[in-house]
Amino acid sequence: MISKSRWKLLAMLALVLGVMAWYSISWEDRYFQPFYFPIPEKKALCLQGETEPKVSQLFGKLSPWHEEAFSPLRPLSSLCSSSRDQPFFLQLKDYFWVNTPSAYELPFGTKGSENHLVRVLAITSYSIPESIRSLKCRRCVVVGNGPRLRNSSLGSTINKYDVVIRLNNAPVAGYEGDVGNKTTMRLFYPESAHFDPQVENNPDTLFVLVAFKALDFHWIETILRDKKRVGKGFWKQPPLIWKVNPEQIRILNPFFMEVAAEKLLNLPVQQPRRLKQKPTTGLLAITLALHLCDQVHIAGFGYPDAFHKRQSIHYYEQITLKSMAGSGHNVSQEAVAIKRMLEMGAVKNLTSF
Ligand SMILES: *[C@@H]1O[C@H](CO)[C@@H](O)[C@H](O)[C@H]1NC(C)=O
Ligand SMILES: *[C@@H]1O[C@H](CO)[C@@H](O)[C@H](O)[C@H]1NC(C)=O
């Protein structure tokens, strides 16, 4: 027999469960959040697959070349169920003992660089860390190097993202309050590699090499295998000693360079050698993030306008737009591309643009 007090207890329990159910249904109503178990803000803000429709809108159907001839660079539009199946980094198995044809030379493809590449891929890795793969919803922020990060106090906001992508040799030491100190991935090329990678990164940061020329593969090989360094062929002296664990090095799939050029900037990927226009590492990082993440926020993008020619283009050093001349980057076209992505809601900006 159930005693009266037991009934009371059961009734209380039912009431509590009822309130909890009601609460969980109405949790979106932020007004009540302080009273009960607050739902972590993170979950409420991230929608799985949020970027996917925007990605197909921006990058559309890709050329058939991707689908058949070069299976490792599979497009989202073909066999894959989602953009998450996109191989982000190059793997040895696609180059070792197999002749994987690529339509373009670097930086838009790997044609002609296969031999260099195989030797690099043999000692580096390609996997996406479990800490990112296991996330139900990936919130990413791409931190640009622009002056708008100065005094932004965005450091703690940036640190809260699941994936923080940084560019080139942008420092964090001394700028933590404005740019944070978490670095999940850093995109770089030899000339933009930081001379002291340990100081400006975390112990588990992935170093993602963006190759512009075959020599870039050669550079990383000489570093990792401690071979004779190459001196010529770089527009700026890259580090001769660079202490990074090879397991943390990734080679970015040139697919992202190609689609950023073709789809965001309308650049031809078949260009005469002397022209060689290409996207900046920043635009490339946004492109990568749109394929890797469910939510993409950006910060520190944008260059000073024409009236402020003397203003620095970086938050950490005094260099002006003049230094971009001859770099093969089209600053105004990139601004148009980023504006378009902001307007269609593909990315959200934490700073002004
Ligand atoms: C940032 O703040 C410091 C100190 O408050 C100030 O001296 C400096 O001018 C500010 N820099 C910018 C770019 O606003
Ligand atoms: C970032 O800085 C905070 C505060 O100084 C520190 O506790 C934390 O370990 C740092 N995080 C990383 C990833 O370096």
Side-chain angles (χ1 to χ4, degrees), residues 311-327:
Q311 202 190 335
S312 181
I313 56 170
H314 289 156
Y315 67 81
Y316 51 90
E317 63 183 351
Q318 193 59 47
I319 66 164
T320 61
L321 260 182
K322 241 190 193 165
S323 67
M324 300 277 290
S327 64

Side-chain angles (χ1 to χ4, degrees), residues 186-231:
R186 188 182 281 273
L187 269 59
F188 76 102
Y189 46 90
E191 291 93 338
S192 81
H194 201 283
F195 281 71
D196 198 349
Q198 305 302 328
V199 171
E200 306 299 350
N201 297 284
N202 307 139
D204 59 350
T205 299
L206 290 188
F207 294 87
V208 180
L209 177 71
V210 178
F212 285 95
K213 48 193 183 301
L215 197 57
D216 296 350
F217 294 137
H218 191 51
W219 170 79
I220 205 143
E221 191 202 345
T222 62
I223 295 269
L224 298 179
R225 291 193 192 273
D226 201 19
K227 287 179 159 182
K228 190 174 183 306
R229 309 293 195 265
V230 268

